[in-house]
Each structure stands twice: as structure tokens, then as C-alpha cells.
Amino acid sequence: SVERRLSMWEPDEPAKSKGKQKSPGVFANTDKLKANLARELLAVEDRTHDTFLQRVMKSQLFESLTLVVIMCNAIWIGYDAETNKAATLPEAPPGYQIMEHLFCSFFTVEILLRFITFNNRQEAIYNKSFLFDGILVLLMVVETWVIYFIPMTETNTGSLSVLRVLRLSRMGRMVRLVRAVPELMIIIKGVSVASRSVIWTLSLMLVIIYVFAVAFYILTDGLPVGDVYFKTVPDSMVFLLLPGLLPDMADPMYRLAEQHIFFS
């Protein structure tokens, strides 16, 4: 399956130019980038045993099954967050517990099989993809199985509720879905290249807002309008940014800031 994707990304034959050289795009060499992205999918396979187990894990069926389970788990996280109001898994209804155990069992077996297929077990530690997925599985095991061995008391109930927030870390598995589609990786690479220009543009806008915020703070000092909109320099910057540049988002942002500054 991965080999077929690799063949799809082989560089195309260069088009014949008629006296004019084609101007470079965002990437210096898109064909080379496509080939590198495809070969990243084979990086783990080159360091694993060529056994029956490895052939099963490289099969299109197993790969598709894993991606489907990841998608189902992402959908389940949203459904569970909306309908399950229990602070911890042992307090949840049986149906929720069964689903969590099924997902945890699948991802645990999958990460163990990937670890077994390495020629050298130490190479798994230096493989970023395997290490990332391993950390996610470890967090899932803690909140799904280890939590049953933690005594529930009034002193640690609040701490255990933090484990519910850790479920958001499972959404990191969506990265595997992105890696499975090289076209999405091309888009991400393009966004990362363009982000430099965007960051410098935002920096320039921030400098301009700061200059005008200081000016309005000084000019409206002692005036009624200054006491409302320009109480401090940070308040002046927020007013110029939200109502001035993002009027549609001003009211929701103010409401979120009233609850916690982190939300805004």
C-alpha cells in the first residue's frame, strides 16, 4: 500500500520550455518534496523485520482499519465529552466504559505490535512517530485502566478529574490521518513556508496598534472617552484590535475574557 503511494509521487517528466524558464513556486523543488514525503512513510518499514507480522501491519487492510478506528475514536471523544458527565471513567455508565476499554485495547495492541517488529528495540525510542503514538497510548492506559486502582476519596477526586481533560490529547492521533494523505502534507508544508510572512505582517500590525494605543492614551487622558476605551495602554490596544479590526469577534472575545483570560 505504501509502495503504491510512493510510486504515485515519482517526479514527473519536465515540460519542454519555449525559451522561458518557469518561475519557481513556493517550494524550490516540489517533485523532490513529494518524494521525500512519500519516503517518510517507508522510514519505519526499513528498520523492521520482514516477517509475517510485519507484512500484516503493512497491508492495506490493517492500515485502513487503524485509520478508521482513529476516526471513530475522534468522533467518540466529542460524543463522550457532550453526553458523559462523569468525572472519571469508573463513574461513567457501562456503555461508555466498554467503548473506552475497546479503544484502549486496540491502540495498546497496535503500539506493541509496532514495537515488536523493530529490528533493534532501541530504534523505537528514536523514532518520533512511534514515540508520539506511544505517549498517547500511555496517557490513555493511565486514564482508562490505571484509574481503577486509584482509591476514590474526597481529596483526590479533583485531581482525577484532570485525567478527563487529558482525553483531548487523543486528538493528536489525527496527525496519523494527515500523514496518510501526502496531499495534506503538501498543504501543511505550504502553510509553514507562508507562516513566516504572516508572522512578520502580524508583528508590523502589532507595532502600529501599539503606537496608536499610546497616542490615544496620552491624548484622551482625563477625557470621558479615555476613561471608557483607553484606561490603560493594554486596554487601548485591545480596543483598537477587536472593535477596530475584528468587530464581529469583539463581543464574543470580551465575554470569554470575563470568564478567563485563557479562553480569549
Side-chain angles (χ1 to χ4, degrees):
S1 59
V2 180
E3 288 82 353
R4 288 196 299 270
R5 266 182 285 169
L6 180 58
S7 61
M8 293 172 56
W9 289 102
E10 291 180 352
D12 300 330
E13 293 294 333
K16 296 181 179 180
S17 58
K18 298 181 179 180
K20 289 186 178 181
Q21 185 177 3
K22 186 178 180 181
S23 59
V26 177
F27 304 105
N29 192 335
T30 55
D31 292 331
K32 183 178 179 180
L33 177 60
K34 293 176 182 179
N36 291 338
L37 289 175
R39 285 182 173 83
E40 287 178 2
L41 299 173
L42 297 172
V44 177
E45 298 176 7
D46 293 338
R47 297 189 296 269
T48 54
H49 293 291
D50 188 14
T51 61
F52 173 77
L53 180 60
Q54 177 60 21
R55 289 194 295 269
V56 171
M57 296 188 64
K58 288 193 300 182
S59 64
Q60 181 67 32
L61 179 61
F62 185 83
E63 182 181 357
S64 301
L65 176 62
T66 302
L67 296 179
V68 169
V69 174
I70 292 175
M71 288 177 25
C72 293
N73 182 243
I75 297 174
W76 172 257
I77 290 175
Y79 176 79
D80 177 75
E82 184 176 354
T83 59
N84 183 16
K85 302 305 179 182
T88 58
L89 184 60
E91 301 174 358
Y96 293 92
Q97 297 187 41
I98 293 174
M99 291 300 299
E100 293 294 339
H101 291 312
L102 290 177
F103 283 122
C104 188
S105 300
F106 178 86
F107 290 121
T108 302
V109 172
E110 190 256 350
I111 200 69
L112 290 177
L113 292 178
R114 289 171 59 187
F115 178 75
I116 293 174
T117 54
F118 275 93
N119 291 326
N120 188 352
R121 301 295 184 265
Q122 295 180 353
E123 292 183 358
I125 302 177
Y126 300 101
N127 185 272
K128 296 180 181 180
S129 175
F130 178 84
L131 189 61
F132 178 77
D133 294 336
I135 293 175
L136 293 181
V137 172
L138 178 61
L139 294 176
M140 191 175 189
V141 169
V142 170
E143 67 162 327
T144 305
W145 292 335
V146 177
I147 195 174
Y148 282 91
F149 300 96
I150 300 178
M152 300 294 295
T153 62
E154 296 181 356
T155 57
N156 64 3
T157 302
S159 301
L160 292 177
S161 62
V162 178
L163 295 175
R164 185 176 176 84
V165 181
L166 293 179
R167 296 184 187 180
L168 295 176
S169 63
R170 301 184 192 177
M171 300 301 293
R173 289 195 182 89
M174 299 297 291
V175 176
R176 294 184 61 179
L177 296 178
V178 176
R179 290 202 306 261
V181 184
E183 292 85 352
L184 296 180
M185 292 298 297
I186 293 292
I187 296 176
I188 293 175
K189 292 288 186 180
V191 172
S192 63
V193 172
S195 61
R196 181 177 180 182
S197 301
V198 174
I199 290 174
W200 285 115
T201 303
L202 293 177
S203 301
L204 177 60
M205 185 179 67
L206 183 63
V207 171
I208 295 175
I209 290 177
Y210 175 76
V211 171
F212 278 91
V214 174
F216 275 107
Y217 175 76
I218 295 176
L219 295 175
T220 60
D221 186 22
L223 299 178
V225 67
D227 297 335
V228 177
Y229 301 112
F230 308 102
K231 296 179 182 180
T232 62
V233 174
D235 289 339
S236 303
M237 295 181 64
V238 172
F239 175 75
L240 294 176
L241 176 63
L242 294 180
L245 298 179
L246 305 171
D248 295 335
M249 295 297 299
D251 185 64
M253 293 294 287
Y254 283 133
R255 292 178 180 273
L256 290 173
E258 291 176 358
Q259 300 298 322
H260 197 281
I261 188 64
F262 175 76
F263 297 149
S264 62

